[in-house]
Amino acid sequence: MAEPDFRAPKGTRDILPAESGRRRALVDVFARRAELAGFGEVVSPMFEDLGVFKRLGEDTDVVTKEMFDFFDKGDPPQHLALRPELTAGICRAYAEHRPVPPWKIWYEGPQFRYEQPQAGRYRQFTQVGVEVLGADDPQADIDVLALGWSFYESLGLGQVRLLLNSLGDPGSRPAYMEALGAYLEARSGDLTDQSRVTLERNPLRVLDSKREGDQTVIADAPLMVDFLSGDAAEHFRVVRSGLDGLGIAYEMSPRLVRGLDYYTRTIFEFAADALPGAQNAVGGGGRYDGLVEDLGGPPTPGLGFALGVDRILLACDAEGVFPGPPPAVLVFVVDVTGGGSALSMCQKLREAGIGADRSYGGRSMKAQMKVADRSGARLAAIIGEDEVAAGEVTIRDLRGDAGQRRVPLDMLVQEVSEFVPGPN
RNA sequence: GUGGGCGUAGCUCAGUUGGUUAGAGCGCCUGGUUGUGGUCCAGGAGGCCGGGGGUUCGAAUCCCCUCGUUCACCCCA
C-alpha cells in the first residue's frame, strides 16, 4: 500500500464518526451523574508549568520518563509540560482561586504520556474524573466511590470490580515503610533485579510488581492495614461500612498501591475483568491530603478519581454493552429533480428540530435510496416529477412496515413528526 | 526503555521448494428498460505486496536496516 505522507503520531489516533458519537455519549452520561451529585465542571489548561507535575513524585515514572515537556518562547523561557493527569492541575487551580471548600469538581479531557503504546494504552488518552477538595469526612470518600461505581453500572458494565486499600496517613506511614523496607531488604536476594532497583527508590511500589519472581516475596510482605494509626484505621472503617450500607461490593486489596506518590489513606482501583490483565485498570484514585499544600496552597485534604474513557469503551465492547447513540438523521430526502427541493425540505425539517440529510451529485433514485438506507434514517422523503407537479412528497418508512404515502409538501414536517414523538 | 508476533486492495485475509498480466469475501460504483433501499444476479473501479538496501537471471515470497502495529515487561487509565 502506498504510504500517505503523514499519519497520526505514534500512540495517537483519529476517532471517527461512529465511535466519536459513542464516546461523547459516554462523557455525557458521566457529566450528568456528576452534576446530579453536586459536582461542577472545571476546564483547565492542557499544559502547565513543569513544576506542577513534579509534585506528583520526583521518582515516579510519570514524572521521570513519560512527560511531554517543552520550553515556550518567553525570555526567560518557561518549562512547560502537557498534562499527564489532571489532579495536579486541579489542585494548582484550587490554590490559585481559593474557592470555598468543599470544592467538588468534575472534568473530562485528553492527557498525554510518552509511553510505549499498546492496546488500551495511548500517548494521548481521555479521562473523566472528579475531585473533592477541602473535605476530610470519610463520607466524601464514600460519595466519590459510589459515583464511580454507579457510573460503570449505568453503562451496563457488569464485570467491574472495586479494589480497596488504605495507605495510612503521615502518622502511620513511616513505621510501615520501615517494616516493609526491612523485610524487602532481608529478602532482596529473592527479588528480581528490577524490583531491587525499585526497592532503592520506593519500597512501596515493589508490591505492585507483576513479575513471577517477586510473587512469593510479596505474598509474605507486611501489610499497611496492620500499621494504620487509630485515625487512619477509623477513617477506613467508616468508608468500608458506608460502602456496605450502599450495597457496593468491594474487595480488600492490601497490596494495592498507586503509581503516583501523593496518595494517602483511601486508595482504590476499578478493574474490568472483561479486559486483558495488562489493561484492566479502567479507573483509579484515592486521597491526596497533602497535594494542595505541596503546590503552595493552604493545607487541604483532597480525594478523587480518574477513569479511562478509551479503556471503558473497550470494556463495553468486550461485554457487548453501551452501543452508540442512534443516528440523529430521521429523514433522508431523495430528490431526483435536481436537488433544489432537497435543499428547502432539509432546511425546513432541521428548523423544526428534525434531523434531515440528502445526497449530493444528482444521483439516480436507486442510488439515493441506497444512501438513505445506509444513513440509518428512519424515513425517506421522495421528490420526483410527479410529486413536484402535484405539490406533494412521498414519505416512505425505511425501517418498519408502514409502507409509503403521498402527502402535501407543506404538511411534511407535521407528517414526519407523527412517525416519531418529539424532535428526534 | 527491554523482549516476541505481524505489516498483501478502504476492511478481514489467502498467496512455501523465489518464476508468466497478485487473489477472495465484505465494502464502494454502475447496471438488471417503463421513478424506490434493505435479498438476489452481472459488470466495474481500487494494490509498484509498509519504506529503503541487498542476494538472484528473476522476490510479495530469502537477508539486513527502518517505520508502523500488536503482545508482554515496566507503569498506568
Side-chain angles (χ1 to χ4, degrees):
Chain A
M1 136 176 53
E3 280 292 297
D5 287 350
F6 299 104
R7 47 171 64 203
K10 183 177 185 136
T12 69
R13 64 205 174 117
D14 301 305
I15 297 164
L16 306 178
E19 180 65 12
S20 57
R22 187 171 174 229
R23 181 187 190 79
R24 187 151 52 90
L26 183 142
V27 172
D28 286 346
V29 169
F30 183 79
R32 174 75 181 148
R33 299 198 80 93
E35 301 257 342
L36 282 175
F39 292 81
E41 182 180 14
V42 168
V43 180
S44 65
M46 267 186 273
F47 55 89
E48 299 266 1
D49 192 286
L50 181 68
V52 171
F53 303 123
K54 283 196 168 169
R55 301 299 201 282
L56 300 174
E58 289 282 6
D59 53 25
T60 62
D61 282 6
V62 168
V63 170
T64 57
K65 54 182 220 193
E66 296 177 359
M67 202 81 81
F68 276 98
D69 64 316
F70 58 96
F71 290 93
D72 71 8
K73 300 179 193 296
D75 183 22
Q78 186 176 8
H79 200 176
L80 300 163
L82 298 180
R83 63 187 184 198
E85 54 104 69
L86 260 157
T87 302
I90 295 297
C91 288
R92 190 271 308 149
Y94 181 85
E96 182 173 335
H97 303 290
R98 299 296 180 88
V100 177
W103 199 43
K104 298 172 65 177
I105 63 93
W106 71 272
Y107 58 77
E108 168 271 325
Q111 333 288 336
F112 307 86
R113 293 182 195 173
Y114 192 84
E115 299 190 89
Q116 223 31 255
Q118 63 186 61
R121 200 168 92 175
Y122 310 98
R123 289 185 173 181
Q124 176 179 332
F125 58 100
T126 301
Q127 290 183 331
V128 295
V130 299
E131 312 288 350
V132 178
L133 292 170
D136 193 56
D137 192 335
Q139 299 211 357
D141 301 40
I142 301 165
D143 231 4
V144 163
L145 281 161
L147 175 62
W149 181 260
S150 68
F151 172 59
Y152 291 114
E153 271 190 332
S154 68
L155 296 175
L157 288 170
Q159 298 172 43
V160 174
R161 286 176 296 129
L162 169 58
L163 308 176
L164 198 62
N165 194 17
S166 174
L167 289 181
D169 52 30
S172 48
R173 188 86 71 92
Y176 173 65
M177 293 303 284
E178 199 169 313
L180 178 64
Y183 168 81
L184 292 174
E185 287 294 346
R187 296 287 303 272
S188 70
D190 299 328
L191 287 171
T192 59
D193 292 346
Q194 285 160 303
S195 284
R196 271 196 293 278
V197 173
T198 307
L199 175 55
E200 296 294 313
R201 315 193 69 162
N202 187 342
L204 208 51
R205 210 155 318 112
V206 174
L207 297 179
D208 203 26
S209 166
K210 288 172 191 159
R211 289 176 287 270
E212 285 284 329
D214 294 324
Q215 297 310 312
T216 56
V217 175
I218 292 170
D220 293 330
L223 301 175
M224 183 70 229
V225 290
D226 297 324
F227 286 77
L228 294 181
S229 67
D231 285 350
E234 174 61 11
H235 185 97
F236 197 36
R237 188 195 65 73
V238 173
V239 170
R240 282 181 296 169
S241 74
L243 292 174
D244 291 336
L246 293 176
I248 295 173
Y250 60 88
E251 292 174 26
M252 281 303 298
S253 187
R255 290 173 198 85
L256 177 66
V257 300
R258 313 229 68 233
L260 302 169
D261 284 348
Y262 54 62
Y263 286 106
T264 57
R265 295 199 277 186
T266 314
I267 62 163
F268 53 90
E269 215 165 271
F270 292 102
D273 289 335
L275 295 178
Q279 67 212 41
N280 71 354
V282 289
R287 274 204 168 268
Y288 44 88
D289 294 333
L291 187 54
V292 173
E293 198 173 356
D294 279 351
L295 287 162
T300 307
L303 83 150
F305 63 62
L307 315 180
V309 170
D310 312 87
R311 284 189 187 173
I312 292 172
L313 285 169
L314 289 175
C316 287
D317 290 340
E319 290 200 32
V321 299
F322 198 68
V329 170
L330 178 68
V331 182
F332 198 95
V333 177
V334 172
D335 180 356
V336 288
T337 67
S341 299
L343 223 41
S344 60
M345 287 168 68
C346 281
Q347 198 61 20
K348 216 173 290 180
L349 287 162
R350 291 166 187 168
E351 276 167 15
I354 296 167
D357 198 6
R358 41 80 58 93
S359 67
Y360 301 112
R363 300 223 265 158
S364 72
M365 173 173 285
K366 184 185 174 102
Q368 290 191 50
M369 285 299 292
K370 247 180 122 115
V371 178
D373 182 52
R374 203 162 53 215
S375 76
R378 170 95 190 264
L379 303 173
I382 303 167
I383 283 280
E385 303 301 342
D386 296 355
E387 283 84 353
V388 169
E392 296 180 327
V393 55
T394 296
I395 297 177
R396 179 174 175 81
D397 183 5
L398 295 173
R399 308 296 156 195
D401 52 7
Q404 65 183 49
R405 65 171 190 273
R406 278 169 63 155
V407 304
L409 185 54
D410 53 19
M411 295 288 284
L412 176 65
V413 169
Q414 190 178 328
E415 291 286 340
V416 160
S417 299
E418 283 170 14
F419 265 90
V420 173
N424 284 351

